[in-house]
PDB file of all heavy atoms in Angstrom:
ATOM      1  N   ALA A 205       0.315 -76.695  56.393  1.00 96.00           N
ATOM      2  CA  ALA A 205       1.066 -75.728  57.199  1.00 96.00           C
ATOM      3  C   ALA A 205       0.310 -74.425  57.413  1.00 96.00           C
ATOM      4  O   ALA A 205       0.422 -73.793  58.469  1.00 96.00           O
ATOM      5  CB  ALA A 205       2.412 -75.427  56.522  1.00 96.00           C
ATOM      6  N   SER A 206      -0.486 -74.011  56.420  1.00 97.00           N
ATOM      7  CA  SER A 206      -1.124 -72.701  56.500  1.00 97.00           C
ATOM      8  C   SER A 206      -2.576 -72.707  56.041  1.00 97.00           C
ATOM      9  O   SER A 206      -3.441 -72.171  56.720  1.00 97.00           O
ATOM     10  CB  SER A 206      -0.333 -71.688  55.644  1.00 97.00           C
ATOM     11  OG  SER A 206      -1.020 -70.476  55.497  1.00 97.00           O
ATOM     12  N   GLY A 207      -2.822 -73.279  54.872  1.00 96.00           N
ATOM     13  CA  GLY A 207      -4.171 -73.261  54.311  1.00 96.00           C
ATOM     14  C   GLY A 207      -4.586 -71.922  53.745  1.00 96.00           C
ATOM     15  O   GLY A 207      -5.767 -71.674  53.512  1.00 96.00           O
ATOM     16  N   GLY A 208      -3.604 -71.047  53.500  1.00 97.00           N
ATOM     17  CA  GLY A 208      -3.899 -69.695  53.040  1.00 97.00           C
ATOM     18  C   GLY A 208      -3.923 -69.547  51.525  1.00 97.00           C
ATOM     19  O   GLY A 208      -4.164 -70.497  50.776  1.00 97.00           O
ATOM     20  N   LEU A 209      -3.640 -68.318  51.085  1.00 97.00           N
ATOM     21  CA  LEU A 209      -3.777 -67.942  49.670  1.00 97.00           C
ATOM     22  C   LEU A 209      -2.444 -67.687  48.975  1.00 97.00           C
ATOM     23  O   LEU A 209      -2.426 -67.296  47.806  1.00 97.00           O
ATOM     24  CB  LEU A 209      -4.635 -66.671  49.567  1.00 97.00           C
ATOM     25  CG  LEU A 209      -6.061 -66.766  50.093  1.00 97.00           C
ATOM     26  CD1 LEU A 209      -6.655 -65.359  50.246  1.00 97.00           C
ATOM     27  CD2 LEU A 209      -6.926 -67.603  49.168  1.00 97.00           C
ATOM     28  N   MET A 210      -1.335 -67.918  49.666  1.00 98.00           N
ATOM     29  CA  MET A 210      -0.034 -67.545  49.121  1.00 98.00           C
ATOM     30  C   MET A 210       0.263 -68.195  47.772  1.00 98.00           C
ATOM     31  O   MET A 210       0.681 -67.530  46.826  1.00 98.00           O
ATOM     32  CB  MET A 210       1.083 -67.899  50.118  1.00 98.00           C
ATOM     33  CG  MET A 210       2.489 -67.587  49.606  1.00 98.00           C
ATOM     34  SD  MET A 210       3.743 -67.786  50.886  1.00 98.00           S
ATOM     35  CE  MET A 210       3.662 -69.551  51.196  1.00 98.00           C
ATOM     36  N   LEU A 211       0.050 -69.496  47.650  1.00 97.00           N
ATOM     37  CA  LEU A 211       0.365 -70.186  46.400  1.00 97.00           C
ATOM     38  C   LEU A 211      -0.525 -69.722  45.259  1.00 97.00           C
ATOM     39  O   LEU A 211      -0.086 -69.646  44.107  1.00 97.00           O
ATOM     40  CB  LEU A 211       0.253 -71.707  46.577  1.00 97.00           C
ATOM     41  CG  LEU A 211       1.133 -72.349  47.644  1.00 97.00           C
ATOM     42  CD1 LEU A 211       1.022 -73.873  47.563  1.00 97.00           C
ATOM     43  CD2 LEU A 211       2.600 -71.929  47.501  1.00 97.00           C
ATOM     44  N   ASP A 212      -1.796 -69.407  45.576  1.00 96.00           N
ATOM     45  CA  ASP A 212      -2.703 -68.873  44.555  1.00 96.00           C
ATOM     46  C   ASP A 212      -2.177 -67.550  44.017  1.00 96.00           C
ATOM     47  O   ASP A 212      -2.152 -67.320  42.800  1.00 96.00           O
ATOM     48  CB  ASP A 212      -4.101 -68.651  45.134  1.00 96.00           C
ATOM     49  CG  ASP A 212      -4.752 -69.941  45.604  1.00 96.00           C
ATOM     50  OD1 ASP A 212      -4.518 -70.325  46.766  1.00 96.00           O
ATOM     51  OD2 ASP A 212      -5.470 -70.558  44.807  1.00 96.00           O
ATOM     52  N   ALA A 213      -1.764 -66.668  44.924  1.00 96.00           N
ATOM     53  CA  ALA A 213      -1.292 -65.347  44.518  1.00 96.00           C
ATOM     54  C   ALA A 213       0.013 -65.435  43.724  1.00 96.00           C
ATOM     55  O   ALA A 213       0.210 -64.700  42.754  1.00 96.00           O
ATOM     56  CB  ALA A 213      -1.092 -64.459  45.741  1.00 96.00           C
ATOM     57  N   LEU A 214       0.892 -66.362  44.113  1.00 96.00           N
ATOM     58  CA  LEU A 214       2.205 -66.474  43.466  1.00 96.00           C
ATOM     59  C   LEU A 214       2.181 -67.327  42.195  1.00 96.00           C
ATOM     60  O   LEU A 214       3.220 -67.510  41.555  1.00 96.00           O
ATOM     61  CB  LEU A 214       3.222 -67.072  44.449  1.00 96.00           C
ATOM     62  CG  LEU A 214       3.509 -66.257  45.716  1.00 96.00           C
ATOM     63  CD1 LEU A 214       4.494 -67.000  46.610  1.00 96.00           C
ATOM     64  CD2 LEU A 214       4.056 -64.871  45.371  1.00 96.00           C
ATOM     65  N   ASP A 215       1.024 -67.856  41.833  1.00 93.00           N
ATOM     66  CA  ASP A 215       0.904 -68.690  40.621  1.00 93.00           C
ATOM     67  C   ASP A 215       1.802 -69.922  40.665  1.00 93.00           C
ATOM     68  O   ASP A 215       2.456 -70.263  39.679  1.00 93.00           O
ATOM     69  CB  ASP A 215       1.258 -67.886  39.355  1.00 93.00           C
ATOM     70  CG  ASP A 215       0.149 -66.955  38.938  1.00 93.00           C
ATOM     71  OD1 ASP A 215      -1.007 -67.213  39.313  1.00 93.00           O
ATOM     72  OD2 ASP A 215       0.433 -65.963  38.247  1.00 93.00           O
ATOM     73  N   ILE A 216       1.820 -70.597  41.797  1.00 94.00           N
ATOM     74  CA  ILE A 216       2.619 -71.822  41.862  1.00 94.00           C
ATOM     75  C   ILE A 216       1.779 -72.996  42.388  1.00 94.00           C
ATOM     76  O   ILE A 216       2.288 -73.862  43.095  1.00 94.00           O
ATOM     77  CB  ILE A 216       3.918 -71.646  42.702  1.00 94.00           C
ATOM     78  CG1 ILE A 216       3.635 -70.978  44.052  1.00 94.00           C
ATOM     79  CG2 ILE A 216       4.954 -70.877  41.934  1.00 94.00           C
ATOM     80  CD1 ILE A 216       4.858 -70.907  44.935  1.00 94.00           C
ATOM     81  N   LYS A 217       0.518 -72.990  41.992  1.00 90.00           N
ATOM     82  CA  LYS A 217      -0.317 -74.154  42.261  1.00 90.00           C
ATOM     83  C   LYS A 217      -0.354 -75.028  41.017  1.00 90.00           C
ATOM     84  O   LYS A 217      -0.092 -74.560  39.908  1.00 90.00           O
ATOM     85  CB  LYS A 217      -1.739 -73.713  42.642  1.00 90.00           C
ATOM     86  CG  LYS A 217      -1.828 -73.028  43.994  1.00 90.00           C
ATOM     87  CD  LYS A 217      -3.258 -72.839  44.437  1.00 90.00           C
ATOM     88  CE  LYS A 217      -3.873 -74.133  44.907  1.00 90.00           C
ATOM     89  NZ  LYS A 217      -5.209 -73.939  45.519  1.00 90.00           N
ATOM     90  N   PRO A 218      -0.662 -76.326  41.181  1.00 89.00           N
ATOM     91  CA  PRO A 218      -0.724 -77.216  40.013  1.00 89.00           C
ATOM     92  C   PRO A 218      -1.677 -76.673  38.949  1.00 89.00           C
ATOM     93  O   PRO A 218      -2.783 -76.207  39.266  1.00 89.00           O
ATOM     94  CB  PRO A 218      -1.255 -78.526  40.603  1.00 89.00           C
ATOM     95  CG  PRO A 218      -0.914 -78.477  42.049  1.00 89.00           C
ATOM     96  CD  PRO A 218      -0.979 -77.038  42.435  1.00 89.00           C
ATOM     97  N   GLY A 219      -1.233 -76.702  37.707  1.00 82.00           N
ATOM     98  CA  GLY A 219      -2.095 -76.269  36.607  1.00 82.00           C
ATOM     99  C   GLY A 219      -2.030 -74.796  36.280  1.00 82.00           C
ATOM    100  O   GLY A 219      -2.562 -74.353  35.267  1.00 82.00           O
ATOM    101  N   THR A 220      -1.347 -73.990  37.109  1.00 75.00           N
ATOM    102  CA  THR A 220      -1.239 -72.559  36.812  1.00 75.00           C
ATOM    103  C   THR A 220      -0.007 -72.304  35.956  1.00 75.00           C
ATOM    104  O   THR A 220       1.033 -72.925  36.138  1.00 75.00           O
ATOM    105  CB  THR A 220      -1.131 -71.721  38.099  1.00 75.00           C
ATOM    106  OG1 THR A 220      -0.004 -72.180  38.869  1.00 75.00           O
ATOM    107  CG2 THR A 220      -2.381 -71.847  38.932  1.00 75.00           C
ATOM    108  N   VAL A 221      -0.153 -71.414  35.028  1.00 66.00           N
ATOM    109  CA  VAL A 221       0.974 -71.040  34.158  1.00 66.00           C
ATOM    110  C   VAL A 221       1.006 -69.530  34.031  1.00 66.00           C
ATOM    111  O   VAL A 221      -0.018 -68.856  34.143  1.00 66.00           O
ATOM    112  CB  VAL A 221       0.851 -71.664  32.752  1.00 66.00           C
ATOM    113  CG1 VAL A 221       1.031 -73.156  32.796  1.00 66.00           C
ATOM    114  CG2 VAL A 221      -0.489 -71.310  32.112  1.00 66.00           C
ATOM    115  N   ASP A 222       2.181 -68.994  33.795  1.00 65.00           N
ATOM    116  CA  ASP A 222       2.313 -67.557  33.583  1.00 65.00           C
ATOM    117  C   ASP A 222       1.687 -67.183  32.252  1.00 65.00           C
ATOM    118  O   ASP A 222       1.940 -67.814  31.232  1.00 65.00           O
ATOM    119  CB  ASP A 222       3.795 -67.168  33.571  1.00 65.00           C
ATOM    120  CG  ASP A 222       4.259 -66.708  34.938  1.00 65.00           C
ATOM    121  OD1 ASP A 222       3.429 -66.705  35.851  1.00 65.00           O
ATOM    122  OD2 ASP A 222       5.443 -66.377  35.083  1.00 65.00           O
ATOM    123  N   GLY A 223       0.850 -66.158  32.263  1.00 67.00           N
ATOM    124  CA  GLY A 223       0.210 -65.713  31.033  1.00 67.00           C
ATOM    125  C   GLY A 223       1.184 -64.969  30.137  1.00 67.00           C
ATOM    126  O   GLY A 223       1.969 -64.136  30.612  1.00 67.00           O
ATOM    127  N   GLU A 224       1.113 -65.245  28.860  1.00 76.00           N
ATOM    128  CA  GLU A 224       1.974 -64.588  27.887  1.00 76.00           C
ATOM    129  C   GLU A 224       1.651 -63.096  27.818  1.00 76.00           C
ATOM    130  O   GLU A 224       2.531 -62.270  27.586  1.00 76.00           O
ATOM    131  CB  GLU A 224       1.776 -65.245  26.514  1.00 76.00           C
ATOM    132  CG  GLU A 224       2.752 -64.793  25.463  1.00 76.00           C
ATOM    133  CD  GLU A 224       4.189 -65.230  25.725  1.00 76.00           C
ATOM    134  OE1 GLU A 224       4.387 -66.201  26.489  1.00 76.00           O
ATOM    135  OE2 GLU A 224       5.102 -64.605  25.166  1.00 76.00           O
ATOM    136  N   ASP A 225       0.375 -62.751  28.016  1.00 81.00           N
ATOM    137  CA  ASP A 225      -0.030 -61.345  27.936  1.00 81.00           C
ATOM    138  C   ASP A 225       0.668 -60.501  28.992  1.00 81.00           C
ATOM    139  O   ASP A 225       1.052 -59.357  28.729  1.00 81.00           O
ATOM    140  CB  ASP A 225      -1.548 -61.219  28.093  1.00 81.00           C
ATOM    141  CG  ASP A 225      -2.301 -61.744  26.890  1.00 81.00           C
ATOM    142  OD1 ASP A 225      -1.656 -61.933  25.835  1.00 81.00           O
ATOM    143  OD2 ASP A 225      -3.524 -61.983  26.997  1.00 81.00           O
ATOM    144  N   LEU A 226       0.820 -61.040  30.202  1.00 88.00           N
ATOM    145  CA  LEU A 226       1.482 -60.293  31.265  1.00 88.00           C
ATOM    146  C   LEU A 226       2.945 -60.048  30.919  1.00 88.00           C
ATOM    147  O   LEU A 226       3.469 -58.939  31.088  1.00 88.00           O
ATOM    148  CB  LEU A 226       1.371 -61.047  32.592  1.00 88.00           C
ATOM    149  CG  LEU A 226       2.011 -60.377  33.814  1.00 88.00           C
ATOM    150  CD1 LEU A 226       1.432 -58.984  34.046  1.00 88.00           C
ATOM    151  CD2 LEU A 226       1.821 -61.245  35.053  1.00 88.00           C
ATOM    152  N   PHE A 227       3.604 -61.062  30.409  1.00 88.00           N
ATOM    153  CA  PHE A 227       5.004 -60.917  29.998  1.00 88.00           C
ATOM    154  C   PHE A 227       5.129 -59.843  28.917  1.00 88.00           C
ATOM    155  O   PHE A 227       6.015 -58.983  28.960  1.00 88.00           O
ATOM    156  CB  PHE A 227       5.533 -62.256  29.485  1.00 88.00           C
ATOM    157  CG  PHE A 227       6.901 -62.173  28.860  1.00 88.00           C
ATOM    158  CD1 PHE A 227       8.047 -62.083  29.638  1.00 88.00           C
ATOM    159  CD2 PHE A 227       7.037 -62.156  27.480  1.00 88.00           C
ATOM    160  CE1 PHE A 227       9.305 -61.985  29.060  1.00 88.00           C
ATOM    161  CE2 PHE A 227       8.292 -62.070  26.891  1.00 88.00           C
ATOM    162  CZ  PHE A 227       9.426 -61.977  27.686  1.00 88.00           C
ATOM    163  N   LYS A 228       4.212 -59.874  27.951  1.00 87.00           N
ATOM    164  CA  LYS A 228       4.258 -58.899  26.851  1.00 87.00           C
ATOM    165  C   LYS A 228       4.008 -57.480  27.333  1.00 87.00           C
ATOM    166  O   LYS A 228       4.586 -56.523  26.821  1.00 87.00           O
ATOM    167  CB  LYS A 228       3.227 -59.270  25.786  1.00 87.00           C
ATOM    168  CG  LYS A 228       3.605 -60.485  24.944  1.00 87.00           C
ATOM    169  CD  LYS A 228       2.533 -60.795  23.913  1.00 87.00           C
ATOM    170  CE  LYS A 228       2.924 -62.000  23.060  1.00 87.00           C
ATOM    171  NZ  LYS A 228       1.851 -62.350  22.093  1.00 87.00           N
ATOM    172  N   GLU A 229       3.134 -57.350  28.333  1.00 87.00           N
ATOM    173  CA  GLU A 229       2.835 -56.022  28.865  1.00 87.00           C
ATOM    174  C   GLU A 229       4.059 -55.431  29.555  1.00 87.00           C
ATOM    175  O   GLU A 229       4.346 -54.236  29.426  1.00 87.00           O
ATOM    176  CB  GLU A 229       1.656 -56.102  29.834  1.00 87.00           C
ATOM    177  CG  GLU A 229       1.017 -54.770  30.165  1.00 87.00           C
ATOM    178  CD  GLU A 229       0.418 -54.057  28.966  1.00 87.00           C
ATOM    179  OE1 GLU A 229      -0.120 -54.733  28.059  1.00 87.00           O
ATOM    180  OE2 GLU A 229       0.509 -52.807  28.930  1.00 87.00           O
ATOM    181  N   PHE A 230       4.784 -56.243  30.305  1.00 92.00           N
ATOM    182  CA  PHE A 230       6.041 -55.786  30.917  1.00 92.00           C
ATOM    183  C   PHE A 230       7.033 -55.393  29.820  1.00 92.00           C
ATOM    184  O   PHE A 230       7.683 -54.343  29.896  1.00 92.00           O
ATOM    185  CB  PHE A 230       6.643 -56.894  31.789  1.00 92.00           C
ATOM    186  CG  PHE A 230       6.195 -56.831  33.225  1.00 92.00           C
ATOM    187  CD1 PHE A 230       4.945 -57.299  33.604  1.00 92.00           C
ATOM    188  CD2 PHE A 230       7.020 -56.310  34.206  1.00 92.00           C
ATOM    189  CE1 PHE A 230       4.529 -57.246  34.921  1.00 92.00           C
ATOM    190  CE2 PHE A 230       6.620 -56.250  35.537  1.00 92.00           C
ATOM    191  CZ  PHE A 230       5.360 -56.723  35.895  1.00 92.00           C
ATOM    192  N   GLN A 231       7.141 -56.242  28.829  1.00 91.00           N
ATOM    193  CA  GLN A 231       8.100 -56.028  27.745  1.00 91.00           C
ATOM    194  C   GLN A 231       7.766 -54.764  26.950  1.00 91.00           C
ATOM    195  O   GLN A 231       8.667 -54.024  26.526  1.00 91.00           O
ATOM    196  CB  GLN A 231       8.097 -57.252  26.824  1.00 91.00           C
ATOM    197  CG  GLN A 231       9.296 -57.377  25.919  1.00 91.00           C
ATOM    198  CD  GLN A 231       9.258 -58.686  25.144  1.00 91.00           C
ATOM    199  OE1 GLN A 231       8.233 -59.066  24.587  1.00 91.00           O
ATOM    200  NE2 GLN A 231      10.381 -59.375  25.100  1.00 91.00           N
ATOM    201  N   LYS A 232       6.477 -54.507  26.765  1.00 89.00           N
ATOM    202  CA  LYS A 232       6.023 -53.361  25.972  1.00 89.00           C
ATOM    203  C   LYS A 232       6.574 -52.048  26.511  1.00 89.00           C
ATOM    204  O   LYS A 232       6.907 -51.130  25.751  1.00 89.00           O
ATOM    205  CB  LYS A 232       4.492 -53.341  25.965  1.00 89.00           C
ATOM    206  CG  LYS A 232       3.862 -52.163  25.270  1.00 89.00           C
ATOM    207  CD  LYS A 232       2.340 -52.264  25.366  1.00 89.00           C
ATOM    208  CE  LYS A 232       1.649 -51.041  24.806  1.00 89.00           C
ATOM    209  NZ  LYS A 232       0.163 -51.139  24.955  1.00 89.00           N
ATOM    210  N   PHE A 233       6.674 -51.929  27.830  1.00 86.00           N
ATOM    211  CA  PHE A 233       7.151 -50.692  28.445  1.00 86.00           C
ATOM    212  C   PHE A 233       8.630 -50.785  28.856  1.00 86.00           C
ATOM    213  O   PHE A 233       9.116 -49.946  29.605  1.00 86.00           O
ATOM    214  CB  PHE A 233       6.289 -50.337  29.651  1.00 86.00           C
ATOM    215  CG  PHE A 233       4.921 -49.832  29.270  1.00 86.00           C
ATOM    216  CD1 PHE A 233       3.854 -50.707  29.155  1.00 86.00           C
ATOM    217  CD2 PHE A 233       4.713 -48.492  29.004  1.00 86.00           C
ATOM    218  CE1 PHE A 233       2.594 -50.257  28.791  1.00 86.00           C
ATOM    219  CE2 PHE A 233       3.464 -48.028  28.640  1.00 86.00           C
ATOM    220  CZ  PHE A 233       2.399 -48.914  28.523  1.00 86.00           C
ATOM    221  N   GLY A 234       9.288 -51.815  28.363  1.00 89.00           N
ATOM    222  CA  GLY A 234      10.717 -51.940  28.645  1.00 89.00           C
ATOM    223  C   GLY A 234      11.039 -52.465  30.017  1.00 89.00           C
ATOM    224  O   GLY A 234      12.150 -52.293  30.516  1.00 89.00           O
TER     225      GLY A 234
END
């Protein structure tokens, strides 16, 4: 449909997972 970068940016390509460090960084500052 597009061939663009949207799925890469949104982390919803096969094999991508949300990093625990990013979650912790959000949590650290409330």
Side-chain angles (χ1 to χ4, degrees):
S206 170
L209 299 166
M210 178 172 66
L211 302 187
D212 297 87
L214 298 178
D215 283 337
I216 48 175
K217 291 190 75 172
T220 57
V221 291
D222 265 0
E224 188 67 21
D225 289 345
L226 181 57
F227 172 77
K228 287 180 179 177
E229 196 62 35
F230 269 78
Q231 198 175 46
K232 176 181 174 182
F233 287 92

